[in-house]
């Protein structure tokens, strides 16, 4: 999905990120939180992951204005055990909670061989791959799950229960960028459904249902009281269930159906939990992992795969580095406009 | 898939297990290895998981006779770090390797909060859920992946590379049996394709391709030089890739395409690796996990799900406990026959 039919401009990454930081601070985020969110959002835009880039900013502004999320929350890190870290995000965003615990998590993973970070009382409104990719850049393997908000009908059920509940994975790969994927366990990510609705596109069958629970190809019908379906039938549905159990059940975060934002008009961010597992492959006595993953990549190319998971993002990233990050003119003007508006509007 | 069209008998679990133990020993397994494999195979049959029950025995006998797997291997457990255990299965089966390391793994998970077991130089020919379910019965969460043998075409590729690469998950649930799933990342498990072929059934489109790489609904064509497809398109394919990286790349086991059994006619068992991650939810300061997972189950029922993942197995298990384990007359005779045959035939 792309927004390239509209006129584009190219902006240096640092400039985009600085503007986003200003917008976040203008709308109630502390400098620390704004810095983390701006870097996250700018990197999604840089990588062509448009459903989680600048496209998300009106939602961030709206949810901050609603009082639903605390843009100034200071996460509380709890060192629970040799390989277990828990963070109370204090009703703020998940990314600053991860940032606060990250060093301890890496230290534990390197010492114990594996470590887990359980975040609760957190809002996650971004792509999941930026949470795992940096671990792979340090030679670690990372797996993360986050639940979201009820909008997916479990396979065989009559009404929605699960969130889009993505799973993201990152692993180092010698001589290549990290191997990274980030997949909604729904047939399509919610942001992509929103983009399709905005552009008046139809979606394939099997993506979602309308308000009556009937199959539809109209993204707007899925958003207006309808719902999404899991990817891959009962298997994707089981994975989505696992995400609820790990990201909410284990962490102490809310399940996707447990929060009530009806008193906060404009609230957009699911108030749930997130789990991140980090493994240090250097603990294995086998051939260095990154050489093994490079061998896998070689075989995947030999089998005829022209593009590996995550590869499109790295190509876009290089383009953005050469020419600046691509943003539509309309989006750029909207971002400027967000600087003008009052926090309490 | 079911074999109930053939005449059935009911055998007490202990009797079936004892017979299987004798068969394994008769065909070259040590008493310890035979005990582990017999318990595993009998429990699959007990739970109605026929593709991994008695149906597997001719394959076990054939692979043992071929000299491809060592039925007397003594696994070597290596205590690597506070939360990392590695086992060299010494060319034997994966289940005895897990059994040898299990106590240490549980001890580490309870102490560190999470722990990982990396098995390599192992053969896995069984269902994966019996490896994870016992952890849930002890109040722990377990996730396991095992790669197998090249028979799945990565999404977007031209030829097979991955194995059927299952993912299994188990979690405790207050007042309920554990929540357990075990899914091939292929559109169908290899054993189920074999059963369909034997019964002359056709399969849905999207399950596999023939030797020319063309879509087919004939399971025999998939087995005769054809291949399977991943479930859920590019997402299932990415998960299958992750299984290769974790079960082989990380453990030091072979990737699904790396072993050559051509010098061992009758060899059936993939010589790869397996990863098991165990989490102790008691480390989380949240509401006890098993109450949270029970709340999830309640909501899934309320959403209209009549059957949860793994539930069919628990229903069959109860039936088997009341009436004995269901085996076809033909299978029972075959098992008796396996006792007669010489090891070296």
């Amino acid at each position: 999905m792309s927004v390239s039919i509209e006129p584009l401009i190219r902006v240096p990454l640092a400039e985009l990120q600085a503007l986003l930081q200003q917008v976040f601070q203008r709308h109630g985020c502390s400098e620390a939180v704004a810095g983390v969110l701006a870097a996250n959002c700018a990197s999604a835009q840089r990588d062509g992951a448009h459903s989680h880039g600048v496209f998300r900013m009106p939602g961030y502004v709206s949810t901050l204005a609603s009082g639903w999320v605390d843009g100034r929350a200071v996460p509380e890190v709890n060192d629970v055990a040799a390989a277990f870290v828990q963070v109370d995000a204090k009703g703020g965003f998940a990314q600053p909670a991860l940032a606060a615990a990250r060093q301890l998590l890496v230290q534990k993973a390197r010492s114990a061989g594996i470590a887990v970070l359980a975040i609760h009382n957190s809002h996650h409104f971004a792509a999941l791959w930026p949470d795992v990719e940096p671990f792979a850049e340090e030679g670690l393997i990372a797996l993360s799950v986050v639940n979201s908000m009820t909008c997916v009908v479990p396979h065989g059920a009559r009404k929605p229960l699960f969130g889009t509940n993505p799973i993201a994975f990152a692993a180092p790969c010698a001589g290549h960028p990290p191997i990274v994927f980030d997949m909604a366990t729904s047939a399509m990510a919610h942001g992509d459904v929103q983009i399709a609705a905005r552009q008046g596109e139809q979606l394939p069958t099997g993506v979602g249902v309308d308000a009556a629970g009937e199959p539809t190809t109209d993204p707007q019908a899925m958003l207006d009281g309808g719902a999404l379906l899991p990817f891959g039938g009962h298997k994707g549905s089981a994975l989505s269930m696992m995400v609820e159990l790990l990201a909410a059940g284990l962490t102490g975060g809310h399940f996707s159906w447990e929060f009530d934002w009806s008193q906060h008009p404009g609230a957009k961010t699911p108030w749930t939990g997130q789990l991140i597992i980090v493994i240090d492959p250097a603990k294995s006595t086998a051939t260095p992992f990154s050489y093994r993953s490079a061998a896998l990549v070689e075989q995947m190319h030999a089998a005829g795969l022209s593009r590996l998971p995550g590869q499109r993002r790295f190509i876009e990233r290089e383009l953005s580095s050469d020419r600046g990050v691509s943003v539509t003119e309309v989006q750029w003007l909207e971002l400027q406009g967000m600087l003008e508006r009052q926090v309490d509007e």
Side-chain angles (χ1 to χ4, degrees), chain A residues 56 65 101 109 151 154 161 166 179 213 224 308:
Chain A
R56 285 279 184 202
C151 64
L161 180 68
I179 299 176
D224 294 344
L308 263 59

Side-chain angles (χ1 to χ4, degrees), chain A residues 11-79:
Chain A
V11 187
L13 178 65
E15 190 180 330
L16 174 63
Q17 191 168 327
L19 174 58
L20 294 174
Q21 164 120 21
Q22 283 180 286
V23 172
F24 278 116
Q25 287 186 235
R26 185 86 179 81
H27 291 269
C29 288
S30 66
E31 190 178 344
V33 168
V36 170
L37 296 183
N40 177 298
C41 183
S43 66
Q45 189 70 22
R46 172 199 67 193
D47 288 9
H50 291 136
S51 60
H52 291 94
V54 168
F55 172 76
R56 285 279 184 202
M57 290 306 293
Y60 274 117
V61 166
S62 149
T63 205
L64 282 161
S66 77
W68 171 243
V69 58
D70 182 358
R72 300 186 168 279
V74 179
E76 190 180 291
V77 178
N78 185 9
D79 183 343

Side-chain angles (χ1 to χ4, degrees), chain A residues 36-47 49 52-53 60 95 98-99 102 124-137 142 144 146 166 168-170 180-182 274 276 313-314 317:
Chain A
V36 170
L37 296 183
N40 177 298
C41 183
S43 66
Q45 189 70 22
R46 172 199 67 193
D47 288 9
H52 291 94
Y60 274 117
Q95 291 78 15
L98 166 56
R102 199 177 183 289
H124 204 293
F125 196 56
L128 198 53
W129 59 263
D131 296 351
V132 292
E133 194 182 290
F135 293 102
E137 283 162 358
S144 184
V146 60
F169 174 81
V180 182
F181 68 74
D182 172 3
Q274 179 177 7
I276 303 177
R313 283 199 297 271
F314 290 106
R317 189 177 303 179

Side-chain angles (χ1 to χ4, degrees), chain A residues 40-244:
Chain A
N40 177 298
C41 183
S43 66
Q45 189 70 22
R46 172 199 67 193
D47 288 9
H50 291 136
S51 60
H52 291 94
V54 168
F55 172 76
R56 285 279 184 202
M57 290 306 293
Y60 274 117
V61 166
S62 149
T63 205
L64 282 161
S66 77
W68 171 243
V69 58
D70 182 358
R72 300 186 168 279
V74 179
E76 190 180 291
V77 178
N78 185 9
D79 183 343
V80 179
F84 201 114
V85 184
Q86 194 164 32
V87 189
D88 181 345
K90 299 280 182 182
F93 291 99
Q95 291 78 15
L98 166 56
R102 199 177 183 289
Q103 200 181 345
L104 182 61
L105 178 64
V106 168
Q107 185 187 312
K108 284 181 185 296
R110 291 211 192 274
S111 159
I114 186 171
V116 61
L117 175 65
I119 303 173
H120 71 287
N121 198 4
S122 55
H123 295 250
H124 204 293
F125 196 56
L128 198 53
W129 59 263
D131 296 351
V132 292
E133 194 182 290
F135 293 102
E137 283 162 358
E138 291 184 61
L140 302 166
I141 299 169
L143 181 68
S144 184
V145 290
V146 60
N147 65 315
S148 53
M149 60 190 177
T150 291
C151 64
V152 172
V153 183
H155 185 78
R158 287 185 309 267
K159 52 184 198 179
L161 180 68
F162 300 149
T164 52
N165 296 3
I167 299 174
F169 174 81
C173 186
H176 297 267
I179 299 176
V180 182
F181 68 74
D182 172 3
M183 57 172 70
T185 53
S186 51
M188 187 171 278
H190 206 262
D192 287 328
V193 177
Q194 290 171 50
I195 288 182
R198 173 187 281 206
Q199 300 187 337
E201 290 171 5
Q202 292 294 299
L203 296 175
T205 53
V207 170
V209 295
D210 62 19
E214 297 299 323
T216 180
T217 58
D218 176 8
Q220 196 59 52
M222 299 174 200
L223 298 173
D224 294 344
L228 302 179
L229 295 170
F231 92 95
H234 72 280
K235 294 186 181 183
S237 192
L239 291 169
S240 185
M241 177 193 73
M242 180 184 78
V243 174
E244 294 288 346

Side-chain angles (χ1 to χ4, degrees), chain A residues 223-271:
Chain A
L223 298 173
D224 294 344
L228 302 179
L229 295 170
F231 92 95
H234 72 280
K235 294 186 181 183
S237 192
L239 291 169
S240 185
M241 177 193 73
M242 180 184 78
V243 174
E244 294 288 346
L245 287 170
L246 293 177
L250 176 61
T251 64
H254 294 111
F255 285 125
S256 292
W257 59 90
E258 281 188 324
F259 53 86
D260 174 13
W261 52 19
S262 60
Q263 299 309 304
H264 295 267
K268 298 283 181 191
T269 48
W271 182 28

